[in-house]
């Protein structure tokens, strides 16, 4: 697969506006609408952290509940025309439409920092990492002995890549695309470990445990950076999982 850089969301919206195309997304299920073909692979919502005033502590932002989808009203059953209605046309054969494969929607920030390959799930609605998310990531990496000066590459995968519904962009194709980008980074930079933040990589790869191996590369699964920003207990889970890595660094050779 050739290297493809998705168009930034701001530029995409600018082009659509110049062509007079309005983007419209229903927030509830429309009457008689089919099942949605696009679903969020990770449902972490982004809430901007509140601004600190003086010594006031930052309060965690509660997760917003998604709007309840409206259920379409059931249509009355239809059947073949009865003999009592001679003017009615006979019912034709039922048309069965094939269902397209559901398309996952996610944004995954991939980077190599020092010896670590980072797979960071961006919260829903984000196309690029936020400053607060990047700062938290750098704070975590600092405990492992690396920092911003050790960033070697960075790429954001925004899926689906195309708006054409005829293109296969299902879960399998998403996994193949992400695998190719990760394999490219592994061959080029030879990291020693992967840190996976959030739900996208576990769902793509079918991981059931918080750690394992991605090919020959060990990985550790960590909570989403954006969940950790809003839920302090998620930070405790993160620290518990990276503590063995910190100890191995501090252990004398």
């Amino acid at each position: 697969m050739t290297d493809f850089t998705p168009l930034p969301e701001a530029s995409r919206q600018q082009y659509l506006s110049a062509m007079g195309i309005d983007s419209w997304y229903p927030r509830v299920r429309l009457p008689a609408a089919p099942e949605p073909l696009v679903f969020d692979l990770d449902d972490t919502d982004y809430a901007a952290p509140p601004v600190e005033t003086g010594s006031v502590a930052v309060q965690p932002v509660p997760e917003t509940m998604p709007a309840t989808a409206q259920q379409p009203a059931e249509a009355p059953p239809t059947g073949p025309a009865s003999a009592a209605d001679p003017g009615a046309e006979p019912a034709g054969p039922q048309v069965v439409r094939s269902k397209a494969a559901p398309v996952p929607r996610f944004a995954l920030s991939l980077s190599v920092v020092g010896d670590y390959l980072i797979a960071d799930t961006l919260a829903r609605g984000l196309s690029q990492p936020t400053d607060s998310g990047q700062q938290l990531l750098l704070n975590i990496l600092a405990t492992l002995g690396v920092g911003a000066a050790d960033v070697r590459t960075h790429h954001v995968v925004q899926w689906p890549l195309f708006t054409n519904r005829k293109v296969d962009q299902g879960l399998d194709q998403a996994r193949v695309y992400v695998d190719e980008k990760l394999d490219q980074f592994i061959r080029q930079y030879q990291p020693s470990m992967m840190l996976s933040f959030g739900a996208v990589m576990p769902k793509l790869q079918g991981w059931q445990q918080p750690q394992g191996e991605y090919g020959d590369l060990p990985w550790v699964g960590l909570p989403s950076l954006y969940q950790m920003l809003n839920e302090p207990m998620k930070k405790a889970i993160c620290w518990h999982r990276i503590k063995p890595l910190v100890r191995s660094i501090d252990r004398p050779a």
Side-chain angles (χ1 to χ4, degrees):
M1 183 178 293
T2 58
D3 189 13
F4 177 82
T5 302
L7 189 69
E9 180 63 19
S11 299
R12 190 179 75 87
Q13 293 293 342
Q14 183 179 2
Y15 291 150
L16 292 176
S17 177
M19 291 186 290
I21 300 175
D22 295 328
S23 297
W24 181 80
Y25 301 95
R27 297 187 179 276
V28 296
R29 178 79 66 81
L30 298 179
E35 291 292 330
L37 296 180
V38 180
F39 63 95
D40 291 310
L41 203 60
D42 181 71
D43 58 0
T44 302
D45 286 309
Y46 172 66
V51 179
E52 295 187 28
T53 305
S55 59
V56 178
V58 177
Q59 299 295 328
V61 181
E63 295 186 357
T64 57
M65 297 298 292
T68 303
Q70 293 181 352
Q71 297 297 329
E74 294 185 1
T78 58
S82 63
D85 188 6
E89 296 182 0
Q94 184 178 3
V95 178
V96 179
R97 297 182 180 179
S98 60
K99 290 186 177 180
V103 176
R105 176 173 49 202
F106 62 87
L108 187 64
S109 175
L110 306 177
S111 57
V112 178
V113 185
D115 290 333
Y116 295 95
L117 176 60
I118 310 297
D120 171 24
T121 299
L122 301 186
R124 181 168 48 191
L126 294 181
S127 59
Q128 293 292 331
T130 64
D131 291 340
S132 56
Q134 286 296 94
Q135 186 58 57
L136 177 57
L137 175 60
L138 290 177
N139 292 344
I140 294 172
L141 293 176
T143 64
L144 301 175
V146 294
D150 300 305
V151 176
R152 305 164 72 183
T153 189
H154 177 248
H155 177 78
V156 175
V157 176
Q158 297 184 41
W159 195 270
L161 296 178
F162 311 106
T163 57
N164 187 349
R165 294 184 178 181
K166 295 182 179 180
V167 178
D168 183 4
Q169 298 184 95
L171 199 62
D172 290 340
Q173 291 299 318
R175 179 171 55 252
V176 169
Y177 184 83
V178 171
D179 283 346
E180 289 186 353
K181 297 303 297 185
L182 291 173
D183 290 344
Q184 175 187 342
F185 286 174
I186 292 172
R187 291 193 307 269
Q188 185 173 358
Y189 299 102
Q190 299 181 349
S192 60
M193 174 169 287
M194 176 194 294
L195 300 180
S196 172
F197 293 88
V200 168
M201 281 299 293
K203 289 183 178 179
L204 282 179
Q205 304 297 331
W207 293 340
Q208 302 295 329
Q209 302 297 327
Q211 60 184 19
E213 289 190 354
Y214 178 79
D216 297 329
L217 190 69
W219 64 267
V220 176
L222 303 170
S224 163
L225 292 170
Y226 303 93
Q227 286 182 332
M228 286 191 275
L229 286 172
N230 298 323
E231 303 177 41
M233 287 303 299
K234 298 293 185 181
K235 293 182 180 179
I237 295 174
C238 176
W239 172 245
H240 175 74
R241 293 182 181 175
I242 67 172
K243 188 185 301 183
L245 305 180
V246 178
R247 289 174 178 172
S248 64
I249 294 174
D250 295 338
R251 187 181 301 118

